[in-house]
Structure formats: structure tokens, C-alpha cells
Amino acid sequence: MDLIAERDNDKIIFSAFVKRTLKKRADIISKDQDKNMPDFSDKSYSKRSFEVSEDSLIYKHKGLLRFMDMKRLTYPRSKIKYNRKKVYPVHNIIIMKQYDATMRELTYGLSDSIIAEIKAELLNNSSL
């Protein structure tokens, strides 16, 4: 008795596709942040985490990382002099690019070849 054949295959395949896509995007985000991040000694940077479930990608990090790619402005007539800080493109740019790419891939990426690949993976995993 083949359990996968009895279930609703479309939902299983789509769920596997979503999970695989989100996992791939989480890996890309992590690699891009590591590449753009210099030798950063704060331990909060290493405590970031990605959780991928059936339909969501949860990215947890400290607030410090969120604001590392924002410039401090200098105001010419201000009595308070703000120091310019080095900008590290590790959050806004990367997250928004990957958000757009993820939405595009989830919308248009489920082709017949990927469906066949996922079916083969599910059949191999179920025979174990």
C-alpha cells in the first residue's frame, strides 16, 4: 500500500516545494550576511537563527544587526556632532532582495521538472 499515492499529492508536493525554497533562501541570506560582514566581534551576530517550517521562514536576530546598514546623518547647523559610521549592508538590502526573489520563485518556480524531482525525493524517503 503506497501512502503517498493515497494522499493528496498536490498539497504534499507544494508543501515540500515551499519548504525547500525557504530553506534555500535562508542559506542564501546567511551566506550573504557572512560575506558582507567584516570581523565582527559582537556575540549577538552569531546568535542569529533561521527556522523553516512548512509555510514560514522565521529569522531571529538582535536589534543591533537590523540597524547596521543605516547611515548616521550629519546635520550642518546642529550643536550635536554625529559621527559617521561605517555601513555594513547586512540586513535591509539582503532581506528585501531575498524577499522579492522568494516571492518570485514561489509564484513561478514550480515547474514540471521540479514536481518530478520532488516526487522522486518523496518516494525515496517513503521507501526507507
Side-chain angles (χ1 to χ4, degrees):
M1 182 182 288
D2 188 12
L3 293 176
I4 292 180
E6 291 178 6
R7 295 180 187 158
D8 189 5
N9 287 338
D10 293 338
K11 288 181 182 177
I12 294 171
I13 290 170
F14 185 71
S15 177
F17 170 70
V18 169
K19 190 169 184 177
R20 185 167 89 168
T21 301
L22 294 177
K23 176 70 174 135
K24 180 175 78 170
R25 292 297 167 185
D27 292 340
I28 291 171
I29 291 170
S30 180
K31 287 177 187 174
D32 283 350
Q33 285 181 339
D34 289 340
K35 181 179 72 173
N36 290 329
M37 202 61 199
D39 298 329
F40 191 60
S41 60
D42 195 331
K43 292 181 181 179
S44 64
Y45 176 69
S46 62
K47 291 182 180 179
R48 63 196 169 98
S49 66
F50 297 92
E51 296 174 13
V52 177
S53 66
E54 296 293 324
D55 60 351
S56 63
L57 167 63
I58 299 171
Y59 173 43
K60 294 181 181 179
H61 60 85
K62 296 287 184 181
L64 172 71
L65 186 62
R66 169 71 176 86
F67 299 107
M68 289 189 73
D69 56 354
M70 299 175 88
K71 293 181 182 178
R72 265 197 200 124
L73 301 175
T74 56
Y75 300 100
R77 296 180 188 178
S78 174
K79 292 179 182 176
I80 302 171
K81 297 298 178 190
Y82 296 97
N83 295 329
R84 286 196 174 267
K85 68 175 186 173
K86 185 161 175 119
V87 177
Y88 300 110
V90 294
H91 192 274
N92 292 336
I93 294 170
I94 293 172
I95 298 296
M96 293 314 293
K97 283 182 181 178
Q98 290 307 316
Y99 176 79
D100 184 49
T102 303
M103 290 299 115
R104 231 179 301 121
E105 187 171 350
L106 289 175
T107 304
Y108 304 111
L110 190 59
S111 64
D112 293 336
S113 62
I114 292 178
I115 290 172
E117 185 180 317
I118 291 173
K119 280 183 182 178
E121 285 177 14
L122 290 173
L123 289 173
N124 287 339
N125 290 341
S126 67
S127 64
L128 295 175

